[in-house]
Each structure stands twice: as C-alpha cells, then as structure tokens.
Amino acid sequence: MVEVKKFNHCFLKNGVDYFTGVPDSTLKEWLKLIFYSGKFTNRIASNEGASISNASGYYLATGNIGVVYLQNSGLGNCINPLTSLTDPEVYGIPMIMLIGWRGIPGQKDEPQHKKMGAITKEMLKVLGIPYSILNDDNYIQEINKSVELAKLNKKPYALIISPGFFDKYSDCTRSNNSTRMNREESIRSIVSIVKDNDIILSTTGKTSRELYEVCSDNNRGHSNNFYNVGSMGHVGAIGLEVALQKSKRLTFIFDGDGALIMHMGTLASIGEYQPKNLVHIVFDNESHESTGGQPTLSKAIDIAGVMRSCNYKQVEVVSDKASLIGILNTSISGPLGVVIKITSFSRKNLGRPTSTPEETKTRFMEWIDK
C-alpha cells in the first residue's frame, strides 16, 4: 500500500496543488489529507461534472492544471463536459482525473458497481482519455507522466486506483460531538409510524442499508420499499413519478444532503407537479458519510429554503424525535419537505440488503400494483 503523503508529494513536485471532486471510499485515506490538512485548495463540487468544470475554470484563470477526484460511477456525470468542454476538438483543457475503480471485473463488489467497473477503461478509450492503472511500484512515474502528457496534449489524463491502494492515514480527522439524532434513529422513528400501504424510496449508500435493517426488524418488511442502491442523486425523480402514478398512496422519499445537492433541479420538478401524497425527507448530516464522512456543501445551502422557493406546500426543519413524529402524525398535504438535522454516525456492523436489485424491483412492482 502507498503512503498518502508520498503519493500527494508526487503532485506537489509537479506543481499541482489544486483539487476538486466528489469523494469515493477508494480514495478516502488520501482525501483525509486533502480535506482536513488545510494545506491545499480543495474545491468541493456538487457532482462530478461540476468538478470537471471547476478544474477547467482553474486552468482558464491560472494556466495550471488541477486534479479531479471521483468514483468511476461518476464518469456518467462527466461525459458532457469531457466531450463538449475539455476535449481537444473544443477548448483543449488539461487536468488529471483520479478515479476510484469500483466493480473491478473478477472482484467482489456491490451490484451497482458491476457494469461501470467492467466498462471504465472502455469509456475512457471512447472519450479519448489516456489512462494508467496505478500500483505500488509505478505510481510515481505514472503521476509524472500524466502531468506531462496532460499539459502536452491539452486534454485530461486519468489515473485509476483500485481499492486497498492507500495505506491508513490518521493525521487529519474531523471530530463530531453532535448530540443530534443519527440517521438510523430517525429512520426507526419514521418507520414506526408509517402505514403498511405507504411507499418508501431510499437513496443510495447507508440510508438504504439502514432502512433495510430497520425494516428487517419491523413488521413492515421490504415489499413496499424501493432501495435505490446506485444512481446517486436520482431517488427524488424516481419518487416523484411513483407518487404521481400512485396518487392514493402516501410516498416517502428518503434523501441525503450530498445526494440531493448532486441533482438539486429535481426539487423544481416536485414543486411544479405538486404531488399531494409526497413526503420528501432529507437526512442532513453535512457529509458524504458512505465514502468516509467528507463534508458536503450543505453548510452553504438552506435546503429547506430552496424547497420553499421550489413551491413545496410545507417545509419543516427538525433535529429531535418528538418534532419529527409530530409533523408526520398530522394530516399531510404535500409536497411536504422535512429536513432532519442529524449527526454523522453509523454502526460499524451495519449490514447490506441481501436482495439483489432485480429482486427488489420485482417485489416492489408486484406489491405496488395490488
């Protein structure tokens, strides 16, 4: 495994000290240095495509290249700016893309990573982006080469990193002494009062994992839950259409601050179509907890205020169990937005859904059609 400081020194020796992106658990040890040391410019982005644009703006303003960090799943969000902004046939903007490689063919991983893991290298080839797969022996020479070729060819160069590449790094951490509820406690409170025929759709990451465990211990079961284990930021749009099509059933969207910010435009769609049966719950812990607890942009955004501006009929902000239950026990006429201010915490022994995505889909569709 590679020491974080030695790895980052390779960028600094090449005059690269600007970083931007969306966190990935594969990179979390290195990201501790980037996020918490205070020694570098680290521009937190709303989504991966925006980080490509951040690095482009940095180059246009300074003539220097930056590093964009992301999980390979985020390549989908990058395609537009990579083809219509940074490509040599357009503006020709160099940068380094540091990509965590989830779903490596032949290695065990979560189902949502399987497809992208298999096509990551082919996607880069189609986009005309050269790449190197880093290991303990080649990372120094490959970083040097990537900076040189990105500048020379005026185009992005990708460095692909597999899980387990980085050694543990503990010099920089963020403490959390909040006395607020955590997300699992909030989910237990909500599930305890939702009706058996209510619908729940949950965002990717630990939110779906916790909902699955809570419902495994509850009479509710899983049939009327849709666990959206991938496609970060899109559960709002899925839930909007489900609510509109099943207007006689109360529909709950379980969202996270990082996921919501990634594709915040969906709030406008919800406000436009006004589903009266929709409750949009945002668990706001101001962090990308599933990838290591790196901060999101939540502190800069009044999520409740944005919901109000997007024409939600009612919006509430809570941080305690009694207030949360009180809101949900009243007569609901949506769209109702509920922002729950929670602490960033989850159990180390937290499990994962045992059903496959296909099984989840089939079970959900059969139940919802009754």
Side-chain angles (χ1 to χ4, degrees):
M1 291 187 286
V2 174
E3 290 185 28
V4 166
K5 288 186 176 180
K6 287 184 178 180
F7 178 84
N8 207 60
H9 186 63
C10 296
F11 288 125
L12 302 182
K13 280 201 312 180
N14 283 282
V16 179
D17 61 359
Y18 174 94
F19 306 93
T20 181
V22 175
D24 170 41
S25 57
T26 302
L27 310 175
K28 68 179 180 181
E29 299 303 325
W30 172 72
L31 288 173
K32 291 177 184 178
L33 176 67
I34 300 304
F35 271 78
Y36 306 127
S37 69
K39 297 179 180 179
F40 319 103
T41 299
N42 176 38
R43 204 71 71 208
I44 302 171
S46 59
N47 60 60
E48 294 85 358
S51 65
I52 298 292
S53 301
N54 286 344
S56 297
Y58 175 71
Y59 174 76
L60 292 172
T62 67
N64 299 320
I65 70 170
V67 174
V68 173
Y69 52 84
L70 67 149
Q71 185 182 108
N72 55 337
S73 63
L75 278 172
N77 284 331
C78 295
I79 288 176
N80 181 273
L82 287 174
T83 56
S84 61
L85 174 63
T86 65
D87 193 85
E89 293 188 31
V90 191
Y91 293 106
I93 297 177
M95 64 187 62
I96 305 301
M97 299 175 67
L98 193 62
I99 303 174
W101 193 7
R102 298 296 303 272
I104 298 173
Q107 294 189 16
K108 185 178 180 180
D109 209 325
E110 299 307 306
Q112 67 268 28
H113 299 302
K114 184 176 180 180
K115 184 67 175 184
M116 183 58 81
I119 65 173
T120 293
K121 294 188 292 183
E122 293 304 316
M123 282 188 67
L124 293 170
K125 289 177 183 177
V126 169
L127 292 167
I129 297 175
Y131 65 87
S132 300
I133 300 174
L134 302 189
N135 58 49
D136 294 10
D137 299 321
N138 73 358
Y139 75 92
I140 295 176
Q141 67 185 47
E142 292 302 326
I143 289 175
N144 293 338
K145 181 177 75 174
S146 71
V147 174
E148 178 184 355
L149 291 180
K151 291 178 178 178
L152 178 66
N153 297 320
K154 292 184 171 57
K155 62 191 296 186
Y157 192 106
L159 300 173
I160 301 175
I161 292 182
S162 304
F165 175 81
F166 289 112
D167 201 356
K168 293 289 184 182
Y169 182 70
S170 57
D171 283 7
C172 302
T173 57
R174 185 177 70 158
S175 61
N176 189 343
N177 299 316
S178 175
T179 57
R180 296 171 176 171
M181 289 188 297
N182 62 50
R183 185 180 44 249
E184 186 171 359
E185 291 170 337
S186 302
I187 290 173
R188 286 190 184 278
S189 298
I190 298 167
V191 170
S192 70
I193 61 174
V194 297
K195 296 181 175 60
D196 290 341
N197 64 339
D198 292 342
I199 300 167
I200 300 178
L201 303 99
S202 55
T203 190
T204 189
K206 292 187 177 180
T207 302
S208 280
R209 291 169 63 182
E210 289 171 345
L211 176 63
Y212 191 91
E213 290 216 343
V214 168
C215 290
S216 294
D217 299 333
N218 185 282
N219 291 333
R220 176 180 173 81
H222 305 287
S223 295
N224 40 351
N225 297 346
F226 183 78
Y227 303 101
N228 188 41
V229 296
S231 57
M232 182 174 173
H234 291 295
V235 72
I238 299 169
L240 166 62
E241 196 59 40
V242 170
L244 291 171
Q245 296 301 326
K246 300 296 180 180
S247 59
K248 293 182 179 180
R249 289 178 174 166
L250 196 59
T251 299
F252 290 81
I253 295 171
F254 284 7
D255 219 336
D257 54 300
L260 177 79
I261 292 168
M262 183 169 280
H263 295 293
M264 190 173 276
T266 297
L267 297 182
S269 297
I270 292 172
E272 169 68 17
Y273 295 107
Q274 288 285 297
K276 295 180 179 180
N277 59 322
L278 181 63
V279 181
H280 191 174
I281 294 176
V282 181
F283 300 102
D284 183 9
N285 57 11
E286 301 175 355
S287 71
H288 288 288
E289 190 178 347
S290 294
T291 61
Q294 304 88 0
T296 66
L297 295 168
S298 173
K299 283 186 177 181
I301 299 173
D302 177 5
I303 294 176
V306 176
M307 286 177 153
R308 293 186 185 102
S309 297
C310 287
N311 206 27
Y312 277 56
K313 190 167 185 180
Q314 179 184 354
V315 181
E316 303 290 345
V317 180
V318 300
S319 59
D320 64 277
K321 179 178 178 179
S323 299
L324 172 61
I325 291 177
I327 292 168
L328 298 181
N329 269 333
T330 60
S331 178
I332 293 173
S333 179
L336 165 63
V338 182
V339 180
I340 308 176
K341 296 290 188 177
I342 58 171
T343 184
S344 183
F345 169 84
S346 59
R347 290 184 288 111
K348 291 184 178 180
N349 63 342
L350 182 63
R352 296 179 182 274
T354 57
S355 304
T356 67
E358 175 69 22
E359 289 169 343
T360 295
K361 179 197 74 173
T362 300
R363 181 176 59 206
F364 180 76
M365 291 182 70
E366 289 176 349
W367 175 86
I368 207 172
D369 196 42
K370 291 179 181 178

Short mmCIF file of all heavy atoms in Angstrom, two decimals, residues 33-88:
data_model
loop_
_atom_site.label_atom_id
_atom_site.label_comp_id
_atom_site.label_asym_id
_atom_site.label_seq_id
_atom_site.Cartn_x
_atom_site.Cartn_y
_atom_site.Cartn_z
N LEU A 33 -6.21 13.82 3.90
CA LEU A 33 -5.17 14.84 3.75
C LEU A 33 -5.69 16.04 2.98
O LEU A 33 -5.48 17.19 3.37
CB LEU A 33 -3.96 14.23 3.04
CG LEU A 33 -2.81 15.18 2.71
CD1 LEU A 33 -2.14 15.66 3.99
CD2 LEU A 33 -1.80 14.48 1.81
N ILE A 34 -6.41 15.79 1.90
CA ILE A 34 -6.88 16.86 1.03
C ILE A 34 -7.95 17.71 1.72
O ILE A 34 -7.96 18.93 1.62
CB ILE A 34 -7.43 16.28 -0.29
CG1 ILE A 34 -6.33 15.51 -1.03
CG2 ILE A 34 -8.00 17.38 -1.18
CD1 ILE A 34 -5.09 16.33 -1.31
N PHE A 35 -8.83 17.06 2.47
CA PHE A 35 -9.95 17.78 3.09
C PHE A 35 -9.57 18.48 4.39
O PHE A 35 -10.08 19.57 4.66
CB PHE A 35 -11.11 16.82 3.37
CG PHE A 35 -12.07 16.67 2.22
CD1 PHE A 35 -11.77 15.89 1.13
CD2 PHE A 35 -13.29 17.33 2.23
CE1 PHE A 35 -12.65 15.75 0.07
CE2 PHE A 35 -14.19 17.21 1.18
CZ PHE A 35 -13.87 16.43 0.10
N TYR A 36 -8.72 17.86 5.20
CA TYR A 36 -8.57 18.34 6.57
C TYR A 36 -7.22 18.95 6.92
O TYR A 36 -7.08 19.53 7.99
CB TYR A 36 -8.87 17.19 7.55
CG TYR A 36 -10.20 16.53 7.31
CD1 TYR A 36 -10.32 15.16 7.15
CD2 TYR A 36 -11.37 17.29 7.22
CE1 TYR A 36 -11.53 14.56 6.92
CE2 TYR A 36 -12.60 16.70 6.99
CZ TYR A 36 -12.67 15.33 6.83
OH TYR A 36 -13.88 14.74 6.60
N SER A 37 -6.24 18.85 6.05
CA SER A 37 -4.93 19.39 6.40
C SER A 37 -4.87 20.91 6.28
O SER A 37 -4.06 21.57 6.93
CB SER A 37 -3.84 18.78 5.51
OG SER A 37 -3.99 19.22 4.16
N GLY A 38 -5.74 21.49 5.42
CA GLY A 38 -5.73 22.93 5.22
C GLY A 38 -4.55 23.43 4.42
O GLY A 38 -4.29 24.65 4.37
N LYS A 39 -3.83 22.54 3.75
CA LYS A 39 -2.61 22.93 3.03
C LYS A 39 -2.82 23.11 1.53
O LYS A 39 -1.93 23.58 0.83
CB LYS A 39 -1.53 21.87 3.26
CG LYS A 39 -1.09 21.74 4.71
CD LYS A 39 -0.03 20.66 4.86
CE LYS A 39 0.42 20.53 6.31
NZ LYS A 39 1.44 19.45 6.46
N PHE A 40 -3.99 22.71 1.03
CA PHE A 40 -4.22 22.73 -0.41
C PHE A 40 -5.56 23.39 -0.73
O PHE A 40 -6.43 23.48 0.13
CB PHE A 40 -4.21 21.30 -0.98
CG PHE A 40 -3.16 20.42 -0.40
CD1 PHE A 40 -3.48 19.45 0.55
CD2 PHE A 40 -1.83 20.55 -0.78
CE1 PHE A 40 -2.51 18.65 1.11
CE2 PHE A 40 -0.84 19.75 -0.23
CZ PHE A 40 -1.18 18.79 0.71
N THR A 41 -5.71 23.79 -1.97
CA THR A 41 -7.02 24.23 -2.43
C THR A 41 -7.83 22.99 -2.75
O THR A 41 -7.46 22.18 -3.61
CB THR A 41 -6.90 25.11 -3.67
OG1 THR A 41 -6.15 26.28 -3.36
CG2 THR A 41 -8.29 25.52 -4.17
N ASN A 42 -8.94 22.81 -2.05
CA ASN A 42 -9.84 21.68 -2.30
C ASN A 42 -11.23 22.24 -2.53
O ASN A 42 -11.88 22.73 -1.61
CB ASN A 42 -9.87 20.72 -1.12
CG ASN A 42 -10.88 19.60 -1.32
OD1 ASN A 42 -11.05 19.09 -2.42
ND2 ASN A 42 -11.57 19.23 -0.25
N ARG A 43 -11.69 22.20 -3.77
CA ARG A 43 -12.98 22.77 -4.14
C ARG A 43 -14.03 21.65 -4.15
O ARG A 43 -14.07 20.82 -5.05
CB ARG A 43 -12.89 23.41 -5.53
CG ARG A 43 -13.90 24.48 -5.77
CD ARG A 43 -13.60 25.73 -4.95
NE ARG A 43 -12.43 26.45 -5.44
CZ ARG A 43 -11.64 27.21 -4.68
NH1 ARG A 43 -11.89 27.32 -3.39
NH2 ARG A 43 -10.62 27.85 -5.20
N ILE A 44 -14.87 21.63 -3.11
CA ILE A 44 -15.92 20.62 -3.02
C ILE A 44 -16.94 20.88 -4.12
O ILE A 44 -17.43 22.00 -4.28
CB ILE A 44 -16.59 20.66 -1.64
CG1 ILE A 44 -15.55 20.43 -0.54
CG2 ILE A 44 -17.69 19.62 -1.55
CD1 ILE A 44 -16.08 20.66 0.86
N ALA A 45 -17.29 19.85 -4.88
CA ALA A 45 -18.20 20.01 -6.01
C ALA A 45 -19.54 19.36 -5.71
O ALA A 45 -19.64 18.42 -4.92
CB ALA A 45 -17.60 19.39 -7.27
N SER A 46 -20.58 19.85 -6.37
CA SER A 46 -21.91 19.27 -6.21
C SER A 46 -22.03 17.93 -6.90
O SER A 46 -22.73 17.02 -6.43
CB SER A 46 -22.98 20.22 -6.75
OG SER A 46 -22.75 20.50 -8.13
N ASN A 47 -21.37 17.77 -8.03
CA ASN A 47 -21.34 16.50 -8.74
C ASN A 47 -20.07 16.43 -9.58
O ASN A 47 -19.33 17.42 -9.70
CB ASN A 47 -22.59 16.29 -9.61
CG ASN A 47 -22.76 17.36 -10.67
OD1 ASN A 47 -21.89 17.53 -11.54
ND2 ASN A 47 -23.86 18.09 -10.62
N GLU A 48 -19.81 15.26 -10.17
CA GLU A 48 -18.54 15.04 -10.85
C GLU A 48 -18.38 15.92 -12.09
O GLU A 48 -17.28 16.40 -12.40
CB GLU A 48 -18.39 13.57 -11.23
CG GLU A 48 -18.29 12.63 -10.04
CD GLU A 48 -19.63 12.21 -9.47
OE1 GLU A 48 -20.68 12.67 -9.97
OE2 GLU A 48 -19.65 11.38 -8.52
N GLY A 49 -19.48 16.14 -12.82
CA GLY A 49 -19.41 17.01 -13.98
C GLY A 49 -19.02 18.43 -13.59
O GLY A 49 -18.23 19.09 -14.29
N ALA A 50 -19.55 18.90 -12.46
CA ALA A 50 -19.21 20.23 -11.98
C ALA A 50 -17.74 20.31 -11.61
O ALA A 50 -17.10 21.37 -11.78
CB ALA A 50 -20.08 20.61 -10.79
N SER A 51 -17.17 19.22 -11.10
CA SER A 51 -15.75 19.24 -10.75
C SER A 51 -14.87 19.35 -11.98
O SER A 51 -13.80 19.98 -11.95
CB SER A 51 -15.39 18.01 -9.91
OG SER A 51 -15.52 16.82 -10.65
N ILE A 52 -15.29 18.72 -13.09
CA ILE A 52 -14.57 18.90 -14.36
C ILE A 52 -14.58 20.38 -14.75
O ILE A 52 -13.58 20.95 -15.19
CB ILE A 52 -15.19 18.05 -15.48
CG1 ILE A 52 -15.10 16.55 -15.16
CG2 ILE A 52 -14.55 18.36 -16.83
CD1 ILE A 52 -13.71 15.99 -15.18
N SER A 53 -15.73 21.01 -14.55
CA SER A 53 -15.86 22.43 -14.88
C SER A 53 -15.06 23.30 -13.92
O SER A 53 -14.47 24.32 -14.32
CB SER A 53 -17.33 22.84 -14.86
OG SER A 53 -18.07 22.06 -15.79
N ASN A 54 -15.02 22.93 -12.64
CA ASN A 54 -14.18 23.66 -11.68
C ASN A 54 -12.72 23.66 -12.13
O ASN A 54 -12.06 24.71 -12.14
CB ASN A 54 -14.27 23.01 -10.30
CG ASN A 54 -15.57 23.27 -9.58
OD1 ASN A 54 -16.32 24.16 -9.96
ND2 ASN A 54 -15.84 22.50 -8.55
N ALA A 55 -12.22 22.47 -12.47
CA ALA A 55 -10.83 22.36 -12.90
C ALA A 55 -10.59 23.11 -14.20
O ALA A 55 -9.49 23.65 -14.43
CB ALA A 55 -10.44 20.89 -13.05
N SER A 56 -11.61 23.16 -15.05
CA SER A 56 -11.49 23.92 -16.30
C SER A 56 -11.38 25.41 -16.01
O SER A 56 -10.55 26.12 -16.60
CB SER A 56 -12.71 23.65 -17.19
OG SER A 56 -12.78 22.29 -17.56
N GLY A 57 -12.22 25.90 -15.10
CA GLY A 57 -12.15 27.31 -14.72
C GLY A 57 -10.81 27.66 -14.10
O GLY A 57 -10.25 28.74 -14.34
N TYR A 58 -10.29 26.75 -13.28
CA TYR A 58 -8.98 26.97 -12.66
C TYR A 58 -7.90 27.09 -13.73
O TYR A 58 -7.04 27.98 -13.67
CB TYR A 58 -8.68 25.81 -11.72
CG TYR A 58 -7.31 25.85 -11.09
CD1 TYR A 58 -6.99 26.80 -10.13
CD2 TYR A 58 -6.33 24.93 -11.46
CE1 TYR A 58 -5.73 26.84 -9.56
CE2 TYR A 58 -5.07 24.95 -10.89
CZ TYR A 58 -4.77 25.92 -9.94
OH TYR A 58 -3.51 25.95 -9.38
N TYR A 59 -7.94 26.22 -14.73
CA TYR A 59 -6.95 26.28 -15.81
C TYR A 59 -7.09 27.57 -16.62
O TYR A 59 -6.09 28.23 -16.94
CB TYR A 59 -7.11 25.07 -16.72
CG TYR A 59 -6.24 25.10 -17.95
CD1 TYR A 59 -4.89 24.82 -17.86
CD2 TYR A 59 -6.77 25.44 -19.20
CE1 TYR A 59 -4.06 24.86 -18.99
CE2 TYR A 59 -5.97 25.48 -20.32
CZ TYR A 59 -4.62 25.20 -20.21
OH TYR A 59 -3.82 25.26 -21.33
N LEU A 60 -8.31 27.95 -16.94
CA LEU A 60 -8.52 29.16 -17.72
C LEU A 60 -8.02 30.40 -16.99
O LEU A 60 -7.51 31.34 -17.61
CB LEU A 60 -10.01 29.33 -18.04
CG LEU A 60 -10.62 28.31 -19.01
CD1 LEU A 60 -12.12 28.47 -19.08
CD2 LEU A 60 -10.00 28.45 -20.40
N ALA A 61 -8.14 30.41 -15.66
CA ALA A 61 -7.75 31.58 -14.88
C ALA A 61 -6.27 31.61 -14.55
O ALA A 61 -5.70 32.69 -14.36
CB ALA A 61 -8.57 31.63 -13.58
N THR A 62 -5.62 30.43 -14.46
CA THR A 62 -4.23 30.39 -13.98
C THR A 62 -3.25 29.76 -14.96
O THR A 62 -2.04 29.96 -14.81
CB THR A 62 -4.16 29.58 -12.67
OG1 THR A 62 -4.46 28.20 -12.94
CG2 THR A 62 -5.13 30.13 -11.63
N GLY A 63 -3.75 28.97 -15.91
CA GLY A 63 -2.86 28.24 -16.80
C GLY A 63 -2.30 26.98 -16.16
O GLY A 63 -1.48 26.28 -16.77
N ASN A 64 -2.75 26.66 -14.95
CA ASN A 64 -2.27 25.48 -14.23
C ASN A 64 -3.32 24.37 -14.25
O ASN A 64 -4.52 24.65 -14.37
CB ASN A 64 -1.95 25.83 -12.77
CG ASN A 64 -0.86 26.87 -12.66
OD1 ASN A 64 0.12 26.84 -13.41
ND2 ASN A 64 -1.02 27.80 -11.73
N ILE A 65 -2.86 23.13 -14.13
CA ILE A 65 -3.81 22.02 -14.15
C ILE A 65 -4.16 21.60 -12.73
O ILE A 65 -3.40 21.80 -11.78
CB ILE A 65 -3.28 20.82 -14.96
CG1 ILE A 65 -2.12 20.13 -14.23
CG2 ILE A 65 -2.87 21.24 -16.33
CD1 ILE A 65 -1.73 18.80 -14.87
N GLY A 66 -5.34 21.01 -12.58
CA GLY A 66 -5.81 20.52 -11.29
C GLY A 66 -6.10 19.04 -11.34
O GLY A 66 -6.04 18.40 -12.40
N VAL A 67 -6.44 18.51 -10.17
CA VAL A 67 -6.80 17.10 -10.04
C VAL A 67 -8.28 17.00 -9.71
O VAL A 67 -8.77 17.65 -8.78
CB VAL A 67 -5.99 16.42 -8.91
CG1 VAL A 67 -6.48 14.99 -8.68
CG2 VAL A 67 -4.50 16.43 -9.24
N VAL A 68 -9.00 16.20 -10.49
CA VAL A 68 -10.42 15.92 -10.24
C VAL A 68 -10.52 14.50 -9.69
O VAL A 68 -10.10 13.55 -10.32
CB VAL A 68 -11.24 16.03 -11.54
CG1 VAL A 68 -12.67 15.56 -11.31
CG2 VAL A 68 -11.22 17.45 -12.07
N TYR A 69 -11.04 14.36 -8.47
CA TYR A 69 -11.18 13.05 -7.86
C TYR A 69 -12.65 12.60 -7.92
O TYR A 69 -13.57 13.39 -7.76
CB TYR A 69 -10.68 13.04 -6.41
CG TYR A 69 -11.23 14.12 -5.52
CD1 TYR A 69 -12.46 13.98 -4.88
CD2 TYR A 69 -10.53 15.30 -5.31
CE1 TYR A 69 -12.96 14.97 -4.05
CE2 TYR A 69 -11.02 16.31 -4.49
CZ TYR A 69 -12.24 16.13 -3.87
OH TYR A 69 -12.75 17.12 -3.07
N LEU A 70 -12.85 11.32 -8.16
CA LEU A 70 -14.20 10.77 -8.32
C LEU A 70 -14.19 9.26 -8.27
O LEU A 70 -13.13 8.63 -8.45
CB LEU A 70 -14.82 11.22 -9.65
CG LEU A 70 -14.17 10.67 -10.93
CD1 LEU A 70 -15.22 10.52 -12.02
CD2 LEU A 70 -13.05 11.58 -11.42
N GLN A 71 -15.34 8.67 -8.02
CA GLN A 71 -15.53 7.25 -8.22
C GLN A 71 -15.86 7.02 -9.69
O GLN A 71 -16.43 7.89 -10.35
CB GLN A 71 -16.69 6.77 -7.34
CG GLN A 71 -16.93 5.26 -7.38
CD GLN A 71 -18.12 4.86 -6.52
OE1 GLN A 71 -19.17 4.50 -7.05
NE2 GLN A 71 -17.96 4.93 -5.20
N ASN A 72 -15.53 5.84 -10.21
CA ASN A 72 -15.80 5.60 -11.63
C ASN A 72 -17.28 5.70 -11.98
O ASN A 72 -17.64 6.01 -13.12
CB ASN A 72 -15.22 4.25 -12.08
CG ASN A 72 -15.71 3.08 -11.25
OD1 ASN A 72 -16.13 3.22 -10.11
ND2 ASN A 72 -15.63 1.89 -11.82
N SER A 73 -18.17 5.49 -11.01
CA SER A 73 -19.60 5.67 -11.28
C SER A 73 -19.90 7.09 -11.71
O SER A 73 -20.87 7.35 -12.41
CB SER A 73 -20.42 5.31 -10.05
OG SER A 73 -20.12 6.18 -8.97
N GLY A 74 -19.08 8.04 -11.25
CA GLY A 74 -19.29 9.45 -11.59
C GLY A 74 -18.88 9.81 -13.00
O GLY A 74 -19.11 10.96 -13.43
N LEU A 75 -18.30 8.87 -13.75
CA LEU A 75 -17.94 9.17 -15.13
C LEU A 75 -19.16 9.57 -15.95
O LEU A 75 -19.07 10.38 -16.88
CB LEU A 75 -17.26 7.96 -15.79
CG LEU A 75 -15.76 7.80 -15.50
CD1 LEU A 75 -15.27 6.46 -16.03
CD2 LEU A 75 -14.96 8.94 -16.12
N GLY A 76 -20.32 8.99 -15.60
CA GLY A 76 -21.55 9.34 -16.31
C GLY A 76 -21.86 10.82 -16.20
O GLY A 76 -22.30 11.45 -17.18
N ASN A 77 -21.64 11.40 -15.02
CA ASN A 77 -21.88 12.83 -14.84
C ASN A 77 -20.84 13.69 -15.56
O ASN A 77 -21.06 14.89 -15.76
CB ASN A 77 -21.86 13.19 -13.35
CG ASN A 77 -23.13 12.78 -12.63
OD1 ASN A 77 -24.20 12.72 -13.24
ND2 ASN A 77 -23.02 12.48 -11.35
N CYS A 78 -19.71 13.08 -15.90
CA CYS A 78 -18.61 13.84 -16.51
C CYS A 78 -18.67 13.90 -18.03
O CYS A 78 -17.97 14.72 -18.65
CB CYS A 78 -17.27 13.21 -16.12
SG CYS A 78 -16.87 13.28 -14.37
N ILE A 79 -19.46 13.04 -18.64
CA ILE A 79 -19.38 12.88 -20.09
C ILE A 79 -19.63 14.19 -20.84
O ILE A 79 -18.91 14.53 -21.78
CB ILE A 79 -20.34 11.78 -20.58
CG1 ILE A 79 -19.81 10.41 -20.16
CG2 ILE A 79 -20.52 11.83 -22.10
CD1 ILE A 79 -20.72 9.25 -20.49
N ASN A 80 -20.65 14.95 -20.42
CA ASN A 80 -20.94 16.19 -21.15
C ASN A 80 -19.76 17.16 -21.14
O ASN A 80 -19.30 17.60 -22.20
CB ASN A 80 -22.20 16.84 -20.61
CG ASN A 80 -22.55 18.11 -21.36
OD1 ASN A 80 -22.07 19.18 -21.02
ND2 ASN A 80 -23.37 17.99 -22.39
N PRO A 81 -19.23 17.55 -19.96
CA PRO A 81 -18.10 18.48 -20.01
C PRO A 81 -16.84 17.89 -20.61
O PRO A 81 -16.02 18.62 -21.20
CB PRO A 81 -17.89 18.87 -18.53
CG PRO A 81 -18.54 17.79 -17.75
CD PRO A 81 -19.68 17.31 -18.58
N LEU A 82 -16.66 16.56 -20.51
CA LEU A 82 -15.48 15.95 -21.11
C LEU A 82 -15.54 15.97 -22.63
O LEU A 82 -14.51 16.04 -23.31
CB LEU A 82 -15.32 14.50 -20.62
CG LEU A 82 -14.84 14.33 -19.18
CD1 LEU A 82 -14.86 12.85 -18.80
CD2 LEU A 82 -13.43 14.90 -18.99
N THR A 83 -16.74 15.91 -23.19
CA THR A 83 -16.87 15.91 -24.65
C THR A 83 -17.12 17.29 -25.25
O THR A 83 -16.78 17.52 -26.42
CB THR A 83 -18.02 14.97 -25.09
OG1 THR A 83 -19.23 15.37 -24.44
CG2 THR A 83 -17.71 13.53 -24.73
N SER A 84 -17.71 18.19 -24.48
CA SER A 84 -18.06 19.50 -25.05
C SER A 84 -17.33 20.67 -24.42
O SER A 84 -17.60 21.82 -24.75
CB SER A 84 -19.57 19.73 -24.93
OG SER A 84 -19.97 19.74 -23.57
N LEU A 85 -16.39 20.38 -23.50
CA LEU A 85 -15.63 21.45 -22.87
C LEU A 85 -14.13 21.17 -22.91
O LEU A 85 -13.36 21.93 -23.51
CB LEU A 85 -16.09 21.62 -21.41
CG LEU A 85 -15.32 22.61 -20.53
CD1 LEU A 85 -15.44 24.04 -21.07
CD2 LEU A 85 -15.80 22.53 -19.08
N THR A 86 -13.70 20.07 -22.31
CA THR A 86 -12.26 19.83 -22.16
C THR A 86 -11.61 19.18 -23.38
O THR A 86 -10.39 19.22 -23.53
CB THR A 86 -12.00 18.93 -20.94
OG1 THR A 86 -12.56 17.63 -21.17
CG2 THR A 86 -12.59 19.54 -19.68
N ASP A 87 -12.39 18.55 -24.24
CA ASP A 87 -11.84 17.80 -25.37
C ASP A 87 -11.00 18.70 -26.29
O ASP A 87 -11.33 19.87 -26.50
CB ASP A 87 -12.99 17.17 -26.18
CG ASP A 87 -12.49 16.15 -27.18
OD1 ASP A 87 -12.30 14.98 -26.77
OD2 ASP A 87 -12.26 16.52 -28.34
N PRO A 88 -9.91 18.16 -26.84
CA PRO A 88 -9.05 18.95 -27.74
C PRO A 88 -9.77 19.51 -28.96
O PRO A 88 -9.34 20.50 -29.54
CB PRO A 88 -7.97 17.96 -28.15
CG PRO A 88 -7.92 16.96 -27.05
CD PRO A 88 -9.34 16.83 -26.57
#
